[in-house]
Amino acid sequence: MLTTAGPAGADSDATGLARAFADAAERHGVPESVLLGVSYLTSRWDGHDGAPSVSGGYGPMHLTDAATALATASEATGGHHAHGTEDARGDTSRPLPPPSPGPRNAPDAGAVPADLRTLAEAAELTGLDPAELRTGNAANVAGGAALLAAAQRDLGHPASGDPADWYGAVAAYAGAGTREAAEFFADEVYAVINEGASRVTDSGDRVTLPPLAVVPDTRTADALGLPAAPRDPRVECPRSVSCAWLPAPYEELADGGYGNHDQARRPASQSVDYIVIHDTEATWETTLDLVQDPEYVSWHYSLRSRDGHIAQHVAGEDVGWHAGNWYVNAKSIGLEHEGFLTDPDAWYTEAMYRTSARLVRHLAREYDIPLDRHHILGHDNVQGPTDANVPGMHTDPGPYWDWAHYFDLLGAPFRATAGPRGGLVTIAPDYETHTPAYEDCEGAGSPCAPHGSAAVRLHTAPAHDAPLVRDPGTHPGDGESSTGVNDVGARASAGQQFAVAERRGAWTAIWYLGQKAWFHNPADAPTAVNARGWVVTGKDGAATIPVHGRAYPEAGAYPADVPVQPVVPLSYEIPADQEYAVGLRTDSEYYRAVTFDPAGHQVVRGEEYFQIQLGHRIAWVRADDVELRRSSH
């Protein structure tokens, strides 16, 4: 038996959920490592309090009952680009109205495919009541073990005690329609088995899968008989993931407009500096429906929650309309992850995290993008291009996206790079135990369920009861920051770097939106690590540092046939003696693309800018307005 443990602080003998895995493995003849590996990839061993996932999956084994989930669902089907006022294209020279597609039809509960009703099969195999399988973790684990054992029998293989013999059954468990997708799922399960994993689940149980060297017999998947169609040559994905081509339309519309992206020649025309992480705020079916609408907006890739499958919609050389800031769009690739930021456990699956990390590593190599939080942005980190845009910018993937785990998978973990007096800090709370309270998950004022978070809360003084810092951009007028799950006004997220303003006991202050912002950072439970790097400060004699929502060229850089785009600083007041962490140095750039025919598109370049971590969102400063220096050590 594998070494597992129950709730934190319990005896080393397996209890609770850990005991359920051991008992189910023994009863159904499934190696416990296989059972734990499958569950980790689908749920990270969480039960979600009986709530279904985006594909109608329940419990630690993600037993699917989509008909029941659909009967109780209340999904807003407009997709996250239909929420708020953000112009996804983000170009004032060709602004788009907020997309407002009509409601999409929900899947018919009476026509649910077999892979989305595995809970009924588990009920038949175990004799357990479907309601118990949906809400009881131990019953759910037993149901998953029964399904794996049945798949092994159906493939004509004995219930071997060797995990290597179960590759085909694991591939079958994914319910995938292609061999590529099924084998990716199985490959990742065996990667987890080889790497090992340990965490405290949402039921309070400590579950541990020690590393186990296993080379699976991949031939056991042959009997599945899944189609193995050749990969479309247009997809730009690593070979290790399941990836399909589902193009976004590039059509000229009747009114002279066009949608829903721009053709370009990146990186020859302009460099790709960013990868932007989104969530869809919609199901997979709705997401694919929307991106194929020529009057909607676009992004490059969508990732499916239940198995990590990828659909590519826009070529990497072309510009998607996804980030709400044209400068960022022109220099980025957008990844939409199926999910809802207020319900992370049921949607941000390990399978999706792992596929996304593989894709981002691939894109980073292709476009020479550094793997850090200056270049790998959340949609919520993208600055509004002008003051008018800032309040309506989007807030996904939100405080529950596990940035530290994601960067571990990217092979770029957040680590200290300086001593205790480092001039910078990298935000790095322990996701599992760091649980700041949020509200508005189930409507205005409603408390969110306690949950691990990648974000720290920022105060005006070193005390928990001190007011939150204000963000006059997101809260114009006298608006105050709040603990709302969508309020980024007083928030710093894992991986972001800030210049240290002061240290006082268990509290650290950073320069943030022109003010000192304090976060709790005790030595016995640190929420940041010390770092060194480059910072900018104001020029001698200057009173403030002008900051911009986009790095556009100066007027003199534009040719006569390209209208000059205004270079107007945002209204943030940044005293010149403050310091801000530098992400990159870049030439200013404007991509002129307002016609359907890309032959008329032009790229204008001008003076240099630095990208800085201004607040929760990035911003840009003109190199001529600041001094660049190394942070203190």
Side-chain angles (χ1 to χ4, degrees):
M1 181 186 301
L2 298 180
T3 303
T4 51
D11 294 336
S12 59
D13 292 337
T15 59
L17 182 59
R19 171 53 64 187
F21 279 110
D23 289 347
E26 183 177 2
R27 174 172 298 184
H28 294 281
V30 181
E32 192 176 346
S33 60
V34 170
L35 190 60
L36 285 163
V38 168
S39 177
Y40 187 83
L41 203 67
T42 56
S43 72
R44 294 179 80 186
W45 303 323
D46 285 333
H48 319 306
D49 291 324
S53 76
V54 66
S55 51
Y58 290 86
M61 295 303 299
H62 199 258
L63 303 181
T64 55
D65 184 3
T68 298
L70 284 169
T72 58
S74 58
E75 179 205 353
T77 58
H80 90 265
H81 289 289
H83 299 171
T85 60
E86 181 191 81
D87 168 5
R89 195 172 192 270
D91 181 10
T92 52
S93 68
R94 186 174 178 255
L96 300 176
S100 54
R104 266 47 188 177
N105 293 325
D108 180 3
V112 175
D115 62 298
L116 297 183
R117 43 187 171 86
T118 61
L119 189 139
E121 183 183 354
E124 184 176 347
L125 289 168
T126 62
L128 295 170
D129 184 85
E132 187 178 3
L133 289 167
R134 284 191 291 269
T135 60
N137 284 348
N140 189 274
V141 170
L147 288 174
L148 282 165
Q152 185 80 339
R153 291 193 298 271
D154 291 344
L155 291 171
H157 303 307
S160 167
D162 186 350
D165 297 334
W166 287 77
Y167 184 88
V170 171
Y173 198 92
T178 66
R179 179 156 185 164
E180 182 183 52
E183 290 187 341
F184 166 75
F185 180 85
D187 289 343
E188 289 300 293
V189 167
Y190 279 90
V192 170
I193 293 172
N194 277 269
E195 296 163 5
S198 180
R199 66 184 297 266
V200 176
T201 71
D202 60 0
S203 60
D205 290 274
R206 165 69 67 180
V207 180
T208 299
L209 171 58
L212 184 65
V214 178
V215 179
D217 183 357
T218 58
R219 296 171 300 174
T220 58
D222 293 344
L224 291 174
L226 291 172
R231 176 173 285 199
D232 192 302
R234 290 170 291 185
V235 300
E236 299 162 297
C237 292
R239 296 299 307 180
S240 60
V241 302
S242 172
C243 191
W245 177 253
L246 188 69
Y250 189 72
E251 300 177 9
E252 191 164 18
L253 306 177
D255 61 0
Y258 63 95
N260 57 11
H261 59 282
D262 279 291
Q263 294 186 344
R265 295 183 299 106
R266 305 185 308 179
S269 57
Q270 63 249 70
S271 62
V272 177
D273 292 338
Y274 308 106
I275 297 172
V276 181
I277 304 300
H278 305 254
D279 77 31
T280 63
E281 297 297 312
T283 63
W284 180 251
E285 292 77 12
T286 295
T287 300
L288 299 190
D289 189 14
L290 292 171
V291 79
Q292 294 177 90
D293 182 345
E295 298 187 28
Y296 196 61
V297 294
S298 63
W299 47 92
H300 294 81
Y301 298 89
S302 297
L303 291 95
R304 189 164 63 195
S305 175
R306 65 188 170 95
D307 59 1
H309 173 70
I310 300 170
Q312 184 175 356
H313 313 298
V314 176
E317 68 177 358
D318 295 333
V319 176
W321 302 349
H322 61 93
N325 182 316
W326 182 241
Y327 176 79
V328 175
N329 278 340
K331 300 179 74 63
S332 71
I333 290 174
L335 276 60
E336 289 276 5
H337 297 77
E338 183 187 18
F340 294 81
L341 70 86
T342 60
D343 195 7
D345 288 331
W347 318 94
Y348 299 160
T349 65
E350 182 68 8
M352 188 167 67
Y353 273 126
R354 284 175 171 258
T355 308
S356 182
R358 286 177 182 263
L359 176 60
V360 168
R361 286 201 307 270
H362 171 80
L363 295 172
R365 287 192 297 269
E366 289 292 310
Y367 295 100
D368 195 24
I369 301 173
L371 291 174
D372 59 42
R373 291 282 275 118
H374 301 295
H375 298 81
I376 312 300
L377 305 174
H379 194 179
D380 53 351
N381 306 135
V382 177
Q383 186 61 260
T386 68
D387 280 340
N389 303 113
V390 172
M393 296 299 287
H394 282 215
T395 61
D396 59 293
Y400 300 132
W401 181 266
D402 192 345
W403 285 108
H405 180 57
Y406 193 53
F407 270 75
D408 284 345
L409 294 172
L410 288 172
F414 304 143
R415 291 176 177 158
T417 58
R421 310 307 296 178
L424 299 176
V425 288
T426 302
I427 305 299
D430 179 73
Y431 183 88
E432 303 290 351
T433 60
H434 179 67
T435 56
Y438 293 99
E439 58 185 11
D440 303 337
C441 281
E442 299 290 340
S446 64
C448 300
H451 195 281
S453 172
V456 298
R457 192 154 287 147
L458 301 171
H459 298 265
T460 57
H464 290 292
D465 58 356
L468 299 176
V469 298
R470 285 196 64 245
D471 182 344
T474 60
H475 299 283
D478 296 327
E480 299 293 332
S481 298
S482 73
T483 57
V485 70
N486 286 296
D487 190 338
V488 302
R491 184 184 297 174
S493 288
Q496 292 182 324
Q497 289 188 329
F498 297 89
V500 175
E502 187 178 349
R503 289 183 172 89
R504 193 181 303 174
W507 290 79
T508 300
I510 56 177
W511 294 119
Y512 185 95
L513 299 174
Q515 61 202 299
K516 276 186 182 180
W518 294 87
F519 66 97
H520 195 229
N521 186 26
D524 59 346
T527 53
V529 294
N530 295 304
R532 65 184 63 178
W534 294 98
V535 297
V536 293
T537 190
K539 290 277 192 180
D540 284 344
T544 61
I545 305 171
V547 297
H548 301 265
R550 52 194 179 186
Y552 275 1
E554 68 281 11
Y558 288 81
D561 59 340
V562 177
V564 173
Q565 299 301 300
V567 180
V568 179
L570 298 173
S571 59
Y572 293 107
E573 292 285 339
I574 311 299
D577 60 350
Q578 295 182 4
E579 294 183 339
Y580 287 83
V582 171
L584 59 150
R585 185 171 190 157
T586 181
D587 288 338
S588 56
E589 192 170 283
Y590 172 61
Y591 176 41
R592 172 72 171 172
V594 296
T595 60
F596 177 70
D597 183 358
H601 296 181
Q602 299 180 61
V603 179
V604 181
R605 293 184 175 87
E607 61 184 337
E608 286 187 323
Y609 278 74
F610 293 109
Q611 177 193 310
I612 63 169
Q613 191 67 56
L614 176 65
H616 186 68
R617 292 170 174 151
I618 59 172
W620 291 267
V621 296
R622 296 173 60 248
D624 285 346
D625 288 337
V626 295
E627 293 181 1
L628 180 69
R629 63 176 64 158
R630 292 290 293 182
S631 68
S632 61
H633 303 318

